[in-house]
């Protein structure tokens, strides 16, 4: 932690701890929302990383180096290629500098000839979600926040460095929103993993008027892969959770009831519908989920980032969602506190 004391943001974080108003720092040089908004389009397109004040935020120079290495297509297998730096920092609850990588990661992902585009796309939405891993409840699964410290900074609390987490999340979502035109074509990419990750990123777009929900529905009409179809349903549910739209909630409810839909789609729709409503789960929904949520399907659906994030030690994400949402009386599985336990 001592290295944070040399970061320019430390004085701001210290002042906040001492009682300063967060608003007094808004729009300043250490407000990552303002810094993101000031990045010139030409800097994004030309990867002019020197124009971005990475050094204003904890471990910013490390993020800059990671973006540089990813962009230049460093040799596969070489250490320090930048893969996992952004997601690793977010997992450690330190997003401010990672946010600045988002527009550059999107452009790497959109470059169909780039050898590390899938890696870049997997990192894009990490700073846009501030919730912790293992969250699988109806009221928190599709949130962009941790669900703790609800009285601090609009419910987002602070990052481990003391930086206001809500500023990081807002800046990341704004960056994704600004580049929806680059991300939406990836919903039609030949690679299923790219289509899934594109949906996961687009689900965090801050403005529904960018047509994100419509893009999900359009792709769903053509999509043949059941796992990708499930991703599109969950992405639609997440976007609707952030921007309520009753007709879409009703549409998602119709998906789990429709026996002609693939089981993966019905399961995703059931989970999405439970998160979007406060209505009690009907006997029909419980029966459908319990019937469809086989072990084989639960493991297959781990490729969905929502399920991967929801899983707990010893339990797949789907199993954890089903247990938490529909069977809260069931105890945690044996080995739940063991990080090395296999997922059942």
């Amino acid at each position: 932690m001592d290295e944070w004391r040399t970061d320019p943001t430390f004085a701001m974080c210290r002042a906040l701890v001492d009682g300063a108003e967060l608003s007094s720092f808004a729009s300043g040089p250490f407000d990552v929302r303002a810094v993101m908004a000031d990045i010139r389009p030409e800097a994004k397109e030309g990867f002019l990383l020197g124009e971005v004040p990475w050094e204003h935020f904890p471990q910013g120079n490390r993020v800059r180096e990671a973006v540089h290495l990813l962009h230049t297509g460093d040799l596969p297998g070489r250490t320090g290629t930048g893969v996992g730096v952004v997601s690793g920092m977010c997992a450690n609850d330190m997003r401010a500098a990672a946010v600045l990588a988002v527009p550059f990661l999107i452009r790497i992902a959109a470059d169909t000839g780039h050898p590390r585009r899938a890696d870049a796309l997997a990192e894009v939405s990490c700073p846009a979600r501030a919730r912790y891993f293992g969250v699988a409840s109806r009221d928190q699964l599709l949130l962009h926040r941790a669900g703790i410290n609800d009285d601090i900074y609009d419910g987002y609390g602070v990052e481990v460095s003391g930086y206001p987490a809500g500023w990081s999340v807002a800046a990341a979502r704004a960056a994704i929103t600004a580049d929806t035109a680059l991300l939406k074509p990836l919903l039609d990419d030949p690679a299923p993993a790219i289509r899934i990750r594109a949906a996961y990123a687009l689900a965090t777009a801050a403005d529904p008027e960018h047509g994100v929900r419509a893009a999900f529905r359009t792709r769903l009409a053509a999509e043949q892969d059941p796992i990708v179809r499930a991703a599109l349903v969950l992405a639609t549910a997440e976007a609707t959770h952030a921007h309520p739209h009753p007709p879409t909630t009703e549409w998602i409810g119709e998906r789990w009831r429709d026996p002609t839909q693939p089981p993966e789609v019905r399961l995703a729709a059931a989970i999405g519908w439970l998160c979007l409503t406060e209505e009690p789960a009907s006997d029909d929904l419980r029966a459908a989920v319990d019937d469809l949520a086989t072990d084989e399907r639960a493991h297959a659906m781990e490729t969905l980032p929502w399920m991967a994030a929801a899983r707990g030690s010893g339990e797949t994400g789907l199993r954890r969602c089903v247990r938490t949402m529909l069977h809260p009386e069931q105890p945690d599985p044996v080995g739940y506190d063991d990080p090395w336990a296999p997922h059942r």
Side-chain angles (χ1 to χ4, degrees), residues 217-229:
R217 295 275 291 271
T218 298
R219 178 61 217 176
L220 187 63
E223 183 61 59
Q224 298 298 312
D225 188 309
I227 298 294
V228 181
R229 289 174 63 83

Side-chain angles (χ1 to χ4, degrees), residues 177-219:
T177 302
D179 283 331
T180 54
L182 292 175
L183 287 167
K184 284 195 286 188
L186 301 184
L187 295 174
D188 299 319
D189 194 90
I194 294 287
R195 301 200 297 276
I196 290 171
R197 288 290 177 178
Y200 193 55
L202 283 165
T204 66
D207 187 352
E209 297 305 317
H210 280 74
V212 168
R213 275 192 298 244
F216 294 152
R217 295 275 291 271
T218 298
R219 178 61 217 176

Side-chain angles (χ1 to χ4, degrees), residues 291-292 315:
D291 179 58
L292 297 173
E315 192 173 31

Side-chain angles (χ1 to χ4, degrees), residues 261-288:
Q261 295 292 323
E264 295 82 359
V265 170
R266 295 185 68 191
L267 286 166
I271 290 170
W273 184 86
L274 286 168
C275 292
L276 290 173
T277 73
E278 295 182 355
E279 297 181 31
S282 66
D283 291 342
D284 287 347
L285 185 147
R286 291 174 181 274

Side-chain angles (χ1 to χ4, degrees), residues 79-149:
T79 59
T81 56
V83 176
V85 169
V86 168
S87 58
M89 288 179 63
C90 293
N92 289 331
D93 197 21
M94 189 159 54
R95 298 172 184 80
V99 167
L100 299 176
V102 170
F104 302 104
L105 293 171
I106 289 173
R107 281 155 180 79
I108 294 172
D111 180 357
T112 57
H114 198 286
R116 310 308 292 266
R117 61 192 298 255
D119 295 322
L121 184 56
E123 305 268 281
V124 164
S125 64
C126 295
R129 292 177 172 87
R131 55 179 172 73
Y132 292 121
F133 293 108
V135 175
S137 62
R138 291 180 66 171
D139 59 339
Q140 293 188 29
L141 176 68
L142 298 182
L143 280 178
H144 299 107
R145 66 187 71 185
I148 62 172
N149 296 325

Side-chain angles (χ1 to χ4, degrees), residues 13-344:
C13 295
R14 180 71 264 176
L16 292 173
V17 171
D18 291 340
E21 291 292 332
L22 181 61
S23 59
S24 65
F25 295 99
S27 302
F30 306 123
D31 182 344
V32 73
R33 301 169 303 175
V35 171
M36 178 66 75
D38 285 343
I39 300 176
R40 297 187 309 125
E42 294 81 3
K44 298 176 186 178
E45 300 300 333
F47 281 80
L48 305 179
L49 304 183
E51 291 193 14
V52 180
W54 308 90
E55 68 280 1
H56 283 200
F57 304 96
Q59 298 195 24
N61 288 327
R62 180 184 175 214
V63 178
R64 172 183 173 168
E65 179 67 7
V67 172
H68 169 72
L69 291 173
L70 268 174
H71 176 233
T72 56
D74 204 9
L75 293 175
R78 176 178 166 182
T79 59
T81 56
V83 176
V85 169
V86 168
S87 58
M89 288 179 63
C90 293
N92 289 331
D93 197 21
M94 189 159 54
R95 298 172 184 80
V99 167
L100 299 176
V102 170
F104 302 104
L105 293 171
I106 289 173
R107 281 155 180 79
I108 294 172
D111 180 357
T112 57
H114 198 286
R116 310 308 292 266
R117 61 192 298 255
D119 295 322
L121 184 56
E123 305 268 281
V124 164
S125 64
C126 295
R129 292 177 172 87
R131 55 179 172 73
Y132 292 121
F133 293 108
V135 175
S137 62
R138 291 180 66 171
D139 59 339
Q140 293 188 29
L141 176 68
L142 298 182
L143 280 178
H144 299 107
R145 66 187 71 185
I148 62 172
N149 296 325
D150 288 337
D151 58 338
I152 302 176
Y153 303 151
D154 298 325
Y156 284 93
V158 296
E159 298 176 6
V160 68
S161 63
Y163 193 81
W167 281 9
S168 298
V169 173
R173 295 180 68 197
I176 290 170
T177 302
D179 283 331
T180 54
L182 292 175
L183 287 167
K184 284 195 286 188
L186 301 184
L187 295 174
D188 299 319
D189 194 90
I194 294 287
R195 301 200 297 276
I196 290 171
R197 288 290 177 178
Y200 193 55
L202 283 165
T204 66
D207 187 352
E209 297 305 317
H210 280 74
V212 168
R213 275 192 298 244
F216 294 152
R217 295 275 291 271
T218 298
R219 178 61 217 176
L220 187 63
E223 183 61 59
Q224 298 298 312
D225 188 309
I227 298 294
V228 181
R229 289 174 63 83
L232 292 165
V233 170
L234 283 171
T236 302
E238 183 173 348
T240 304
H241 195 282
H243 309 285
H245 187 244
T248 299
T249 299
E250 183 178 352
W251 175 84
I252 291 174
E254 293 170 354
R255 301 281 79 72
W256 75 255
R257 295 184 183 92
D258 185 354
T260 67
Q261 295 292 323
E264 295 82 359
V265 170
R266 295 185 68 191
L267 286 166
I271 290 170
W273 184 86
L274 286 168
C275 292
L276 290 173
T277 73
E278 295 182 355
E279 297 181 31
S282 66
D283 291 342
D284 287 347
L285 185 147
R286 291 174 181 274
V289 169
D290 287 342
D291 179 58
L292 297 173
T294 63
D295 287 342
E296 180 180 5
R297 200 160 286 131
H299 284 284
M301 291 181 71
E302 286 291 275
T303 58
L304 298 173
W306 294 269
M307 295 297 100
R311 68 190 178 199
S313 54
E315 192 173 31
T316 61
L318 178 62
R319 285 293 188 199
R320 191 153 197 262
C321 286
V322 172
R323 179 175 60 82
T324 303
M325 296 182 187
L326 298 179
H327 305 289
E329 74 285 354
Q330 293 181 0
D332 292 339
V334 175
Y336 179 76
D337 293 326
D338 178 5
W340 306 111
H343 296 134
R344 295 180 174 81

